[in-house]
Amino acid sequence: MKKSKWLQVAGSLSLTGFLLSSTITPMSPSINSHGVAQAEVVDSLELQKAFQQAAQEFNVPVEILLAVGYNVSLWEHHDGKPSASGGYGLMHLTDVNTDSLEDTHSDEPAHMFLSGKEDADSQPLEKSILKIESTLDINDSRLHTLNTAAELLSLQPETLKQNKQQNIRGAAALLVQFALDTSGETPSDVNEWYGAVAKYSGSSDYTGAKDFADRVYETINEGVTKQTEDGSSLTLAPKQTKPNIESIQSLNLKKDTEETEADCPNGLACHYVPAAYKKID
């Protein structure tokens, strides 16, 4: 699969066709009252069920929810820690501030996530943060989707940071709101969620938002199966789609080619993707 990097920060569904296999994965041992070690277990299908339940609750196609999650985090939760771009959980709900940009589990230079494209010359982290502070509107609602999602669920933001199921529910609630914003309805057709997915990218740039939406639908078309670092098994079965790309027009995104063209060596096909969360291989 193509590599992509991620920053910014903005119906009826069929669950048949998803390949589910129920297994129990042993985790770290615990000690009972008699001093005997016992193995903790995790239901490897817990996250798969969480996606399905959120999709049913909010009438979001489960394919959309799964594919968005895969493209922003590879379905990894990171123990409630923020990404380099201030996103939390496997659905990358954003809460961007200077502290979160400096204190992150990512080992990638901050400028690679926050400028929208890689800088040719590497910079010290401190200089990158200063540059970001001078160009980033920290009050932009696209940088605070965690708070918006928490409000939609009537929960505390910290709950969505730590709890995987609530993180997924928050993303589903956001996608519904974005669908209403872009099309005035909650579509029953998976192809009509293109505009909402583009808005979920958080990009104000047409090229970046479109590239993200394209990759989400590409993931749906190709399908993916993965076991996460905590032992969860997730499957998105391939499903051919033909998204309504015109639905992105209602976002009125800027189309400044001078600012959004990616520097690319001769002979390589490059995609500009503002806002990286993690490399996707």
Side-chain angles (χ1 to χ4, degrees):
M1 182 175 287
K2 304 170 185 173
K3 292 185 177 179
S4 67
K5 282 181 175 283
W6 251 95
L7 150 68
Q8 283 182 358
V9 212
S12 301
L13 45 119
S14 172
L15 300 182
T16 59
F18 283 86
L19 308 177
L20 306 180
S21 58
S22 181
T23 59
I24 300 296
T25 303
M27 300 299 284
S28 57
S30 60
I31 306 298
N32 64 14
S33 58
H34 300 288
V36 179
Q38 293 180 322
E40 295 181 2
V41 296
V42 59
D43 183 352
S44 66
L45 293 182
E46 181 180 2
L47 281 185
Q48 186 91 48
K49 295 172 185 175
F51 274 104
Q52 293 171 346
Q53 290 166 357
Q56 290 176 322
E57 178 182 0
F58 293 94
N59 291 323
V60 178
V62 69
E63 301 94 342
I64 293 292
L65 205 53
L66 280 165
V68 167
Y70 182 78
N71 277 273
V72 296
S73 74
L74 293 178
W75 294 329
E76 298 292 349
H77 190 65
H78 300 295
D79 298 322
K81 297 177 182 178
S83 73
S85 52
Y88 289 85
L90 66 169
M91 300 307 294
H92 198 258
L93 302 177
T94 58
D95 187 23
V96 177
N97 54 61
T98 303
D99 291 338
S100 68
L101 294 177
E102 293 176 343
D103 182 17
T104 170
H105 67 269
S106 173
D107 59 358
E108 296 284 358
H111 68 275
M112 295 177 69
F113 296 90
L114 297 165
S115 64
K117 53 187 173 182
E118 298 182 22
D119 294 340
D121 300 320
S122 60
Q123 306 177 40
L125 177 61
E126 294 80 5
K127 291 184 178 180
S128 298
I129 295 297
L130 290 174
K131 180 180 179 181
I132 292 161
E133 288 179 337
S134 66
T135 59
L136 195 65
D137 180 5
I138 209 69
N139 296 315
D140 191 326
S141 62
R142 291 171 299 181
L143 305 185
H144 301 283
T145 59
L146 174 73
N147 295 328
T148 303
E151 291 176 4
L152 290 172
L153 299 182
S154 298
L155 294 173
Q156 293 298 316
E158 189 65 27
T159 301
L160 276 68
K161 288 182 182 180
Q162 303 298 333
N163 187 285
K164 299 174 186 177
Q165 288 78 10
Q166 298 302 338
N167 193 272
I168 296 170
R169 291 183 69 238
L174 282 176
L175 283 164
V176 169
Q177 185 60 58
F178 294 163
L180 293 173
D181 294 341
T182 56
S183 65
E185 62 177 354
T186 303
S188 59
D189 185 352
V190 67
N191 294 305
E192 298 299 326
W193 285 82
Y194 188 91
V197 171
K199 185 168 183 176
Y200 195 97
S201 73
S203 176
S204 61
D205 172 77
Y206 176 85
T207 303
K210 182 179 183 300
D211 203 343
F212 175 69
D214 286 344
R215 289 174 183 274
V216 166
Y217 276 87
E218 179 183 351
T219 301
I220 296 174
N221 291 338
E222 296 180 354
V224 63
T225 297
K226 181 179 185 289
Q227 185 173 50
T228 64
E229 293 177 359
D230 67 359
S232 297
S233 295
L234 286 157
T235 294
L236 170 58
K239 177 178 181 177
Q240 293 307 302
T241 62
K242 190 176 181 180
N244 176 17
I245 62 175
E246 292 302 316
S247 59
I248 197 177
Q249 300 300 332
S250 62
L251 298 178
N252 298 315
L253 301 170
K254 63 182 180 181
K255 298 181 179 181
D256 189 340
T257 57
E258 182 178 350
E259 290 296 325
T260 59
E261 288 181 353
D263 295 330
C264 185
N266 292 331
L268 292 180
C270 296
H271 291 272
Y272 169 77
V273 185
Y277 180 88
K278 185 174 182 178
K279 292 181 180 178
I280 298 178
D281 296 322

